[in-house]
Amino acid sequence: MRKPKNRISPGELLAMFPLGGTAYLALEIAWRGTTHWTMFFAGGICLCALDELDRVRLPLPVRAAIGAAGISGVEFLFGLVCTRVLHRQVWDYSREWGNVAGLVCPKYSALWFVLCLWLMAVMDELERRLPHARTAKV
C-alpha cells in the first residue's frame, strides 16, 4: 500500500498549474491542430486535481477512471463557458455517440482514462524514485 503524500505546496501549485495548462494546449494542438486560450486554465486545473487524486490510496485504474471523469467534467464546464458566455464554439462532439450537449462524449473520456493511467503511473514511479520529495512523515 502506498504511503499518504503531503498536500501540494503553494510553490508546487505555481509550477504545476502552468505546466498542466501548457501541456493541455500542446496536446490539443497535436490532436486537433487547434486550441483555445481557455484550455490553458482547464489544463492547469486538471493537472493540479490529478496530483491531488494521485495522493489517494486507491488502485491505479480507479484513480485513472476518477481522473478521466474529472477531466470530462472540466471540459464540459469550460465548453459551457465558451459557448454560453464567450459565444465561441471551441469544439463540437455532437456527432459522437453518447455526447452530452456536443461538449463531451464517451470516446474522449476513454482516451482521457488511458492518458490518466499513463500519467499517474509516471507520477507513482517518480514517487517511488524520489520518495523524500513528497511522502508524508507518518
Side-chain angles (χ1 to χ4, degrees):
M1 186 66 63
R2 297 163 25 151
K3 290 183 181 178
K5 300 176 190 176
N6 293 328
R7 297 197 54 85
I8 191 169
S9 72
E12 286 176 312
L13 183 63
L14 286 174
M16 196 169 300
F17 191 91
L19 177 64
T22 303
Y24 207 96
L25 294 177
L27 186 64
E28 273 213 319
I29 290 170
W31 185 261
R32 300 185 323 128
T34 186
T35 191
H36 189 260
W37 62 267
T38 55
M39 296 299 98
F40 176 84
F41 297 100
I45 290 167
C46 287
L47 185 59
C48 291
L50 288 175
D51 182 66
E52 281 296 315
L53 178 60
D54 194 50
R55 298 163 190 271
V56 178
R57 289 185 186 188
L58 291 171
L60 177 60
V62 174
R63 287 182 282 134
I66 294 168
I71 292 171
S72 295
V74 168
E75 283 217 328
F76 182 76
L77 292 174
F78 272 77
L80 282 177
V81 168
C82 286
T83 55
R84 306 258 165 90
V85 176
L86 301 177
H87 306 289
R88 185 91 199 259
Q89 188 168 3
V90 178
W91 64 88
D92 181 11
Y93 297 151
S94 61
R95 295 183 182 198
E96 297 288 342
W97 174 83
N99 78 85
V100 178
L103 300 174
V104 293
C105 66
K107 177 173 103 176
Y108 287 105
S109 294
L111 291 172
W112 285 122
F113 172 77
V114 171
L115 185 62
C116 285
L117 270 176
W118 174 80
L119 181 60
M120 289 183 169
V122 168
M123 293 166 83
D124 289 348
E125 183 62 18
L126 287 173
E127 174 67 25
R128 189 183 69 73
R129 291 182 186 219
L130 305 169
H132 62 280
R134 304 196 70 187
T135 51
K137 296 178 181 175
V138 184

